[in-house]
Amino acid sequence: MEKIVKLASENGILIFSKSTCCLCYAVQILFQELRVHPRVHEIDHDPEGKEIEKALMRMGCSGPVPAVFIGGKLVGSTNEVMSLHLSGSLIPLLKPYQASLS
Amino acid sequence: MNSASTQFVPSRRMGIHEPIHQMAMWGDFKGLDTSPPMILEVEAKLDNQSEDTSHGIDGPSNKYDQEASKPADKVLRRLAQNREAARKSRLRKKAYVQQLENSKVRLIQLEQELDRARRQGLHVGGALDNSQLGYSGTTNPGIATFEMEYGRWVEEQNRQISDLKNALHSDIGDVELRLFVESGMRHYFDLFTMKATAARSDVFYLMSGMWKTAAERFFFWIGGFRPSELLKVLLPHLEPLSEQQRLDLCNLGQSCQQAEDALSQGMEKLHQIIAETIAARLLGDENYYQQIGAAYEKLDALVRFVGQADHLRQETLQQISRILTTRQAARGLLALGMYFQRLRDLSSHWSSHPREST
């Protein structure tokens, strides 16, 4: 879906979320802990929310939210993010976007 | 009045063959208050009298006429009393039999309840944990199935622990040992699958941890053990470790902790949202069922969280297994199994030996 592709390419780290979704909130907390500040797009506040939801599900996100994009590519939902993190593969992906230590 | 024949059918079933014994019990039975010995006498005489009196009443022959006239009314009165006493006795017997029948039904009910409670209590490490019996029996078939399967899971777990112990003390090679490690890991993953199904049946039940022992519940986090806790328990038993392994495990520990914290905060937010949904507009005229329905939808999120926590547990176990050698992984699995076994044993010992205040 065009909107998804556009948003994903414009933002280093993008999370599609719903304002009431607590797993989305958990993923955001994790990213904060890892010193990155993702763009969060609440699809329940988007008039095209329903289409975005369907498109995300077609792309394989079972949630359908949270749907995490890093560097324009779909990483996945909570499961994928957690697996990546535990295997040590998430931080390398986030490195380019991490806030520098002052 | 009931005829004597209907009274005797239950008697046979009860197996009471001594009328005297029976009458004594009827006498004890709260109700009519004629004392037993008199009834016995009366009953015994009743049969005799009825034969005599039938002679006397039906056909007074001249032979008895004069002698019978004076005691006749006494006899009649006596007969009436006998009939009355017999009637009361039959009523008492009927009431007693009814009470026995009620008690039998109640006994069957109690046996069923006990059986249900035993299944819930016993299927946790094979020991009866009193706190388990406090859970009022559930009629949810999904949960009943889960409890049964969990009981079998624990039994299988105990077998695997024992097999692993023997394997490590023997001189089997790494290839064979790997099989033990893999089946041990699969056994934990089976549990997560069972829990996912149970969560769809009753997520509150799963989150309450009532299916586990009290000591395990003490350490509970979103429906199970804490992954970061797992690492802390295992680490001392995995030595000697290489530097790379030590580093990898340290990183794993940190990632695990971060993931756990994120999920915990997510749970807190969910907690808050559910509370707000239930508490919203309590005094309004809103449709009660709409309010309940809104809260109901939030419970789906709870199911997702439990699934996410189990996923974290599974990933942690898998990562540990990747970092370690086969032999280290086998020792780790054994240590983990024994850790949980100790918690279960502690619970059952604690609950069966109440502390006395000194």
Side-chain angles (χ1 to χ4, degrees):
Chain A
M1 183 184 166
E2 273 171 35
K3 185 157 189 179
I4 293 178
V5 173
K6 182 168 177 291
L7 280 167
S9 57
E10 283 171 2
N11 296 280
I13 305 173
L14 172 68
I15 303 180
F16 284 101
S17 162
K18 280 186 193 170
S19 54
T20 53
C21 172
C22 294
L23 266 183
C24 300
Y25 180 73
V27 169
Q28 285 173 55
I29 295 285
L30 179 63
F31 279 1
Q32 267 175 44
E33 176 66 24
L34 300 178
R35 294 187 353 257
V36 291
H37 304 287
R39 163 82 188 273
V40 177
H41 189 84
E42 315 265 17
I43 65 175
D44 53 334
H45 293 158
D46 187 327
E48 294 177 80
K50 284 288 173 200
E51 284 98 73
I52 297 179
E53 195 172 325
K54 283 189 204 142
L56 287 173
M57 287 177 82
R58 275 198 301 272
M59 292 170 82
C61 275
S62 52
V65 288
V68 178
F69 288 77
I70 301 179
K73 283 204 284 270
L74 175 64
V75 162
S77 190
T78 327
N79 271 9
E80 287 74 30
V81 169
M82 296 295 182
S83 300
L84 277 175
H85 191 43
L86 287 192
S87 67
S89 312
L90 184 62
I91 291 185
L93 282 179
L94 299 177
K95 251 206 162 58
Y97 311 101
Q98 267 177 330
S100 48
L101 291 162
S102 45
Chain B
M1 234 352 30
N2 292 323
S3 66
S5 55
T6 56
Q7 298 305 313
F8 281 107
V9 170
S11 276
R12 270 203 297 275
R13 274 220 305 267
M14 291 190 298
I16 296 173
H17 301 293
E18 290 183 26
I20 296 168
H21 179 60
Q22 198 171 31
M23 294 215 213
M25 285 195 281
W26 298 340
D28 290 340
F29 184 66
K30 299 185 199 81
L32 309 166
D33 49 18
T34 318
S35 64
M38 258 186 74
I39 296 163
L40 178 60
E41 241 177 83
V42 164
E43 282 275 30
K45 284 189 176 171
L46 186 67
D47 288 339
N48 298 335
Q49 293 281 11
S50 55
E51 284 177 45
D52 290 335
T53 52
S54 61
H55 280 304
I57 290 172
D58 285 347
S61 56
N62 292 335
K63 222 195 319 188
Y64 295 103
D65 209 15
Q66 283 172 329
E67 291 169 311
S69 60
K70 203 174 174 199
D73 36 314
K74 258 198 202 165
V75 166
L76 283 175
R77 199 162 57 239
R78 196 64 186 285
L79 280 178
Q81 284 172 348
N82 287 354
R83 276 198 294 276
E84 185 56 30
R87 188 180 74 87
K88 285 184 183 171
S89 176
R90 280 193 294 272
L91 277 176
R92 261 200 314 281
K93 178 179 178 180
K94 186 180 171 195
Y96 175 69
V97 166
Q98 187 57 50
Q99 196 198 33
L100 279 180
E101 292 289 300
N102 292 344
S103 297
K104 191 175 90 173
V105 169
R106 179 73 186 130
L107 186 63
I108 291 172
Q109 278 174 356
L110 283 172
E111 276 176 356
Q112 281 173 352
E113 266 177 53
L114 188 60
D115 189 45
R116 218 178 299 134
R118 262 203 212 106
R119 270 187 277 118
Q120 284 163 17
L122 272 179
H123 286 132
V124 184
L128 200 64
D129 178 350
N130 289 337
S131 61
Q132 297 289 321
L133 289 177
Y135 183 69
S136 59
T138 177
T139 54
N140 184 328
I143 295 303
T145 304
F146 173 74
E147 284 175 340
M148 223 169 54
E149 288 179 349
Y150 181 68
R152 287 201 289 262
W153 188 90
V154 172
E155 283 166 15
E156 173 63 22
Q157 179 75 344
N158 291 335
R159 272 194 292 272
Q160 283 193 5
I161 290 170
S162 157
D163 288 347
L164 201 46
K165 216 184 286 185
N166 294 334
L168 279 169
H169 286 133
S170 74
D171 57 358
I172 71 168
D174 271 11
V175 173
E176 272 184 83
L177 200 53
R178 190 81 222 163
L179 293 176
F180 280 97
V181 169
E182 262 153 38
S183 79
M185 301 274 285
R186 246 195 328 269
H187 195 57
Y188 280 107
F189 302 163
D190 286 346
L191 179 61
F192 300 144
T193 307
M194 276 163 51
K195 284 167 70 182
T197 310
R200 286 191 288 275
S201 263
D202 186 348
V203 70
F204 285 134
Y205 173 78
L206 209 66
M207 295 218 45
S208 73
M210 287 311 295
W211 46 288
K212 289 225 171 187
T213 60
E216 288 170 295
R217 269 200 296 281
F218 179 68
F219 292 103
F220 231 49
W221 176 78
I222 313 185
F225 62 83
R226 238 177 223 282
S228 59
E229 190 74 37
L230 185 77
L231 275 166
K232 287 182 204 142
V233 164
L234 291 188
L235 216 48
H237 306 281
L238 302 173
E239 299 286 358
L241 292 165
S242 71
E243 278 316 301
Q244 185 60 51
Q245 284 180 325
R246 211 179 299 277
L247 183 64
D248 288 343
L249 285 173
C250 181
N251 288 338
L252 178 62
Q254 194 179 38
S255 314
C256 196
Q257 190 66 61
Q258 287 166 336
E260 237 174 73
D261 288 345
L263 280 183
S264 293
Q265 291 191 55
M267 263 303 277
E268 267 177 49
K269 183 160 195 239
L270 183 58
H271 200 115
Q272 198 184 321
I273 288 182
I274 294 181
E276 281 168 9
T277 308
I278 295 173
R281 302 191 288 275
L282 283 169
L283 302 178
D285 294 330
E286 320 289 320
N287 189 341
Y288 172 82
Y289 293 102
Q290 265 176 7
Q291 293 304 112
I292 298 286
Y296 205 82
E297 278 170 22
K298 303 283 182 270
L299 297 185
D300 271 345
L302 212 53
V303 175
R304 280 188 82 188
F305 261 93
V306 174
Q308 211 53 65
D310 275 348
H311 177 257
L312 196 63
R313 290 174 188 117
Q314 185 159 328
E315 282 298 308
T316 305
L317 282 170
Q318 273 174 334
Q319 286 301 323
I320 294 176
S321 145
R322 270 179 225 143
I323 293 170
L324 300 177
T325 65
T326 302
R327 198 148 288 263
Q328 286 168 328
R331 279 213 308 278
L333 264 179
L334 180 61
L336 188 63
M338 300 207 63
Y339 171 70
F340 289 126
Q341 212 174 41
R342 260 192 208 173
L343 283 177
R344 289 195 288 267
D345 290 345
L346 178 65
S347 287
S348 69
H349 187 85
W350 181 262
S351 62
S352 57
H353 292 85
R355 324 290 272 173
E356 283 171 15
S357 50
T358 45

